[in-house]
Amino acid sequence: MSDRLADPDRRTGELNFRELLRWAWRQLTSMRTALILLLLLALAAVPGSLIPQQGVDALKTSQWQEAHPDLTPVYDRLGLFDVYGTPWFAAIYVLLMVSLVGCIIPRTLVYLRAIRSAPPRAPRNLGRLPDHASYRTDEDVEVVLERARQVLRRRRYRVRPDDGDASVSSERGYLREVGNLVFHLSVIIVLVGFAYGSLFGYKGGVILPVGTEFSNTLTQYDDFVPGDLFSDDDMEPFCFTVDDFDVEWLTSGPRAGMSRGFNADTRYQADCTGADASDEQQYDLRVNHPLAIGKTEVFLIGHGYAPVITVRDGEGNVAWNAPTIFLPQDQTLFSFGVVKAGGARPSQIGLEGVLFPTFVLDSNGDPQNLMGQLNNPLLSMSVYSGDLGLSDGSPQSVYILEKDGLEKLKNDDGSDFRLDMQVGDTVELPNGLGSVTFDGIQEWNRLQISRTPGKLVALTGVVLALIGLLGSLFIRPRRLWVRARVVDGETLVEVAALDRSGGGDVTPEIETVVAALRGDPPAEEKS
Amino acid sequence: MTDASWETLSNQAVAVCGVVYFLALISHLVEWSALRKLPVSVGSVSVPERGGVATLEGPGVDEDAERRTNLFGRLGLMLTVIAVAVHFVALLGRGMAADPNRVPWGNMYEFTLSGTFFIGFLYLVLYRRFSLAWMAPIVTFLIVALLMVDVIWLYDEVAPLTEALNSPWLVIHVVSAVISTGAFTLGAIGSLLYLLKDRAIKRGREGGYLGRVPAPATLDRVSYRLHAFAFPVWTFAVLITGPIWAHQAWASYWNWDPKEVWAFITWVVYAGYLHARATAGWKGRNAAILALVGVATLWFNFIGINFFSSSSQHSYAEGLAVEHVVSTRL
């Protein structure tokens, strides 16, 4: 203040840089700002639930983007397809955290001082407090006050040492503030755990045919989302094979066609690398029952079919013979897939089509898939010949046929040539291009493999937060005063209490204390 | 009993408890309407417009009317007790009708059935402790209305659980979500009446039902205590059991799934409510408004997200989640 007066150049209300910083800090750490930031956080989270999110459902996001070509660039600039990773979302929670820390530190210091100090003296006029009671008695002032101390101590109040003003001051519920501080600190612990997990963890997915071995290297994954600080060296050297996959199909009842009881009989080794390979172990991998290998976990999240298809080219050589993964399009496992027989001569052959696990013709004569069980599997594919575009070096999805250099095969009458095959069928292609055989069907599992370090930190954080929360909500801090003085030859005893939590009703507490003061002292103290 | 007869029992119990709740609502309406008429029956012009309470306590109380009021109040409470008991039978029947037997909250119909049960149950449990008599007509009306919505639009046959729901966490995660939903809803009733009563007092028009509900400070406190009970339970449901289960079933404990996002929004809004009650300038009115915003997000999450968001893994329309690796079109 004094140096402000000493500076003649300053106008009133003008702040220097340090003062501005202090002012900004005070604003940021005020309860009101914290409250507004909290509500902003809630508001900012809304768009992410209404607009498809890249990180949550990439397919839906790209469909939405195609459907809304005008909005997409605007939304994209605002980061609305990745709300929870945008700078503006981060800004809110970072500010909130700073505000939180700025709130916690001073409060902790205040609390540390308060916890050592005695309860405050009784206000001069207890009758002015909103909650108070009084009664008259013949007992001596000292007797009443001494009993009040006993009663309050027994009720777990901290009692202020007697300073001779004919009153007793007491306080309880000191742990409420501890609960409060623990809760807010735990929020930070949770965030640290969450951030650690998303920085150092990874999440990958793979579609793995039954019987095929998976070894944990980057190349084996279909999709792989590492954290920013994840290093490939952290990948554990395990491998596993799903030997058998069981599904139970419901054939009756309101959910007929639904499947459940998924069980992938899995064989795994924690370390598959050469000399120090570990022993093989078995695990029944099920939904809700992930397999933990070291710090990595394997989750069963989907299944589907891979028809085994053989393509022979015009020269009679086998150009393709493999279980071909078809992707389910709906819950009945009606699936879509392609075959790229790049080695076929004289021209390359591409197949594209669908698999009906239980093929039926509905009342209109249209093909339908009844359910996902393999009751009447039918493979229906179009055939293309020409250049599959595999040689130009650009990456291609194995699930999409690039049709630029391809020509669809036609029947003699000009209609599309279509393969409709049941297991065991072989169909000759027109123009002597070769033949296609549908040998059988294998199952595949979609597995999510992820490593989430820090998850126990986050869990500990929320559990602590809950404990702190319970303390801060249900411990009732209150001050209670008893004063006794002689009025008209009798002792007037006044009791008043103050609830400091803002949610409590102290009247019953006063009544209990008054009853204990007036009533006979408990038996053990009579003698 | 067979599964089918359990299902029939459950359906009949829902019908019966709906009727009994309705009768409870009627008798509470009679109770409160009798009070409304009091100033008229006294026939005194000097009775001030806002004299509902004063008339009851004053010397000119129509004792007959008071007796009738008490009678209908007790009758309503008794009917509510019966209705909640029958409601429980309805839930039990749902659980026993499933094969294998399970907790009765596997779909929206069952969740609403359990949610309304807990609204009624918590109301009865807290009736004496928080002196909730004034809440009776609103609670019974709300339950009747929600049960009607449930039976008319959300009804679903008893069906086996989809695979992802088949977990012990279904019991613990959903029951805590349902209980806190019930308590938040009761708390919202308190906050709503607080706002109405507060406005009525400011405008000096405090007759009828609003004249009978407790003072704003009491409403605020009751509402706070209901919220203070519900908030930790919600925290447990949404931020502890939810992520644990999500981690087991979906490989990631927090997926920013729309349901999770809205549960988080609800949590943040209620955290805001609790802070607002301790912040100058936000106490009272603004805090009560926040509580209502909170309950709106809660019910939007339950109803809205299930209907409007197909991308939510919580929409339960499907069995084992099937993920698309790449965009595919025929």
Side-chain angles (χ1 to χ4, degrees), chain A residues 31-32 35-36 38-39 41-42 45-46 48-50 56-57 59-60 62 66 84 89 176 183-184 187 193-194 203 207 222-223 250 254-255 258-262 286-290 297 299-303 327-331 333-334 336 352-354 397 399-400 446 448 450 452 454-455 458-459 462-463 466 469-470 472-474 476 501-505, chain B residues 99-100 107 129 156-168 220-221 224-225 227-229 231-233 235-236 239-240 244-258 261-262 264-265 267-269 271-282 290 300 305 309-311 316-330:
Chain A
M31 185 77 142
R32 187 168 314 214
L35 195 55
I36 288 167
L38 207 54
L39 296 179
L41 184 69
V46 174
S49 75
L50 303 177
V56 176
D57 193 339
L59 173 67
K60 215 174 149 69
S62 57
E66 276 169 38
Y84 310 109
F89 192 76
R176 177 195 170 90
F183 172 76
H184 287 94
V187 172
F194 189 77
K203 193 166 146 178
I207 287 181
D222 293 337
D223 52 284
L250 300 181
R255 291 283 183 281
M258 191 181 99
S259 50
R260 63 177 180 188
F262 310 100
R286 287 165 292 154
V287 176
N288 279 318
H289 297 272
E297 285 169 297
F299 302 79
L300 175 63
I301 60 166
H303 69 126
L327 299 175
Q329 303 298 299
D330 59 25
Q331 285 307 303
L333 296 187
F334 172 70
F336 173 88
E352 177 189 80
V354 291
S397 164
Y399 302 106
I400 297 173
R446 174 143 168 82
Q448 185 95 24
S450 67
T452 323
K455 66 178 181 228
L459 182 64
V462 271
V463 171
L466 184 64
L469 185 64
L470 291 174
S472 79
L473 288 174
F474 297 116
R476 299 256 158 73
S501 67
D505 184 3
Chain B
D99 176 35
N107 55 39
R129 193 184 154 93
D156 207 352
E157 282 176 80
V158 173
L161 289 179
T162 54
E163 186 75 358
L165 288 182
N166 191 4
S167 161
D220 183 49
R221 192 163 59 223
Y224 167 73
R225 289 173 76 172
H227 283 111
F229 164 74
F231 188 70
V233 182
T235 308
F236 179 71
L239 298 179
I240 296 183
I244 291 177
W245 191 10
H247 179 74
Q248 287 189 356
W250 302 328
S252 167
Y253 61 83
W254 193 263
N255 301 288
W256 295 110
D257 176 90
V261 172
W262 277 91
F264 174 70
I265 291 172
W267 189 86
V268 168
V269 171
Y273 163 79
L274 293 177
H275 283 94
R277 285 191 86 261
T279 308
W282 284 76
L290 272 183
F300 173 75
I305 291 299
S309 173
S310 53
S311 69
Y316 304 130
E318 49 210 289
L320 185 56
V322 177
E323 292 201 6
H324 300 261
V325 179
V326 289
S327 165
T328 52
R329 257 160 291 119
L330 274 169

Side-chain angles (χ1 to χ4, degrees), chain B residues 171-221:
Chain B
V171 182
I172 188 158
H173 170 66
V174 182
V175 84
S176 46
V178 174
I179 289 175
S180 48
T181 301
F184 276 136
T185 307
L186 288 179
I189 294 176
S191 294
L192 180 68
L193 282 177
Y194 168 86
L195 287 176
L196 293 177
K197 174 108 182 171
D198 192 46
R199 199 182 64 167
I201 288 176
K202 277 185 188 133
R203 295 190 177 177
R205 282 206 312 248
E206 210 197 328
Y209 177 64
L210 281 182
R212 300 286 172 175
V213 301
T218 313
L219 286 174
D220 183 49
R221 192 163 59 223

Side-chain angles (χ1 to χ4, degrees), chain A residues 178-468:
Chain A
V178 175
N180 206 349
L181 294 171
V182 165
F183 172 76
H184 287 94
L185 268 174
S186 307
V187 172
I188 295 174
I189 296 178
V190 173
L191 252 133
V192 168
F194 189 77
Y196 188 77
S198 34
L199 285 176
F200 292 94
Y202 76 89
K203 193 166 146 178
V206 60
I207 287 181
L208 190 67
V210 171
T212 306
E213 187 184 75
F214 176 89
S215 59
N216 191 33
T217 50
L218 220 83
T219 50
Q220 296 253 320
Y221 285 87
D222 293 337
D223 52 284
F224 191 84
V225 185
D228 288 335
L229 300 177
F230 176 78
S231 120
D232 299 351
D233 304 339
D234 293 343
M235 298 194 73
E236 291 173 285
F238 61 81
C239 61
F240 62 86
T241 311
V242 174
D243 286 326
D244 193 19
F245 181 65
D246 286 330
V247 187
E248 176 194 329
W249 293 96
L250 300 181
T251 49
S252 62
R255 291 283 183 281
M258 191 181 99
S259 50
R260 63 177 180 188
F262 310 100
N263 189 344
D265 179 6
T266 308
R267 208 159 24 93
Y268 70 96
Q269 281 169 276
D271 190 345
C272 304
T273 45
D276 37 49
S278 49
D279 289 344
E280 247 178 29
Q281 284 169 293
Q282 192 275 339
Y283 187 79
D284 286 337
L285 181 61
R286 287 165 292 154
V287 176
N288 279 318
H289 297 272
L291 161 64
I293 309 176
K295 287 174 180 167
T296 313
E297 285 169 297
V298 181
F299 302 79
L300 175 63
I301 60 166
H303 69 126
Y305 295 119
V308 184
I309 298 169
T310 305
V311 177
R312 284 189 176 77
D313 65 12
E315 298 167 2
N317 300 319
V318 173
W320 176 268
N321 177 23
T324 310
I325 290 166
F326 274 46
L327 299 175
Q329 303 298 299
D330 59 25
Q331 285 307 303
T332 67
L333 296 187
F334 172 70
S335 309
F336 173 88
V338 302
V339 168
K340 297 179 184 181
R345 297 289 175 273
S347 72
Q348 294 181 330
I349 297 173
L351 308 178
E352 177 189 80
V354 291
L355 173 74
F356 299 81
T358 299
F359 177 79
V360 287
L361 288 174
D362 67 8
S363 50
N364 298 327
D366 293 327
Q368 280 275 322
N369 185 40
L370 199 62
M371 63 186 287
Q373 196 172 15
L374 294 172
N375 293 318
N376 181 27
L378 181 105
L379 190 62
S380 174
M381 304 193 90
S382 305
V383 185
Y384 296 82
S385 73
D387 180 10
L388 289 166
L390 295 172
S391 47
D392 67 358
S394 60
Q396 267 195 25
S397 164
V398 294
Y399 302 106
I400 297 173
L401 212 52
E402 297 291 341
K403 293 179 191 140
D404 292 345
L406 292 174
E407 193 182 339
K408 201 172 194 176
L409 296 194
K410 306 275 184 192
N411 290 316
D412 294 339
D413 61 2
S415 61
D416 286 347
F417 176 80
R418 218 173 161 80
L419 297 166
D420 286 315
M421 315 166 79
Q422 289 185 308
V423 175
D425 287 355
T426 299
V427 176
E428 292 292 327
L429 298 177
N431 312 334
L433 281 169
S435 70
V436 176
T437 308
F438 181 15
D439 298 304
I441 298 179
Q442 273 196 14
E443 283 178 292
W444 54 256
N445 294 121
R446 174 143 168 82
L447 302 167
Q448 185 95 24
I449 300 168
S450 67
R451 185 170 168 163
T452 323
K455 66 178 181 228
L456 285 179
V457 175
L459 182 64
T460 312
V462 271
V463 171
L464 277 177
L466 184 64
I467 294 170

Side-chain angles (χ1 to χ4, degrees), chain A residues 480-496:
Chain A
L480 198 141
W481 298 279
V482 179
R483 173 171 288 140
R485 58 197 152 101
V486 179
V487 179
D488 305 333
E490 282 180 314
T491 304
L492 174 68
V493 185
E494 290 172 298
V495 180

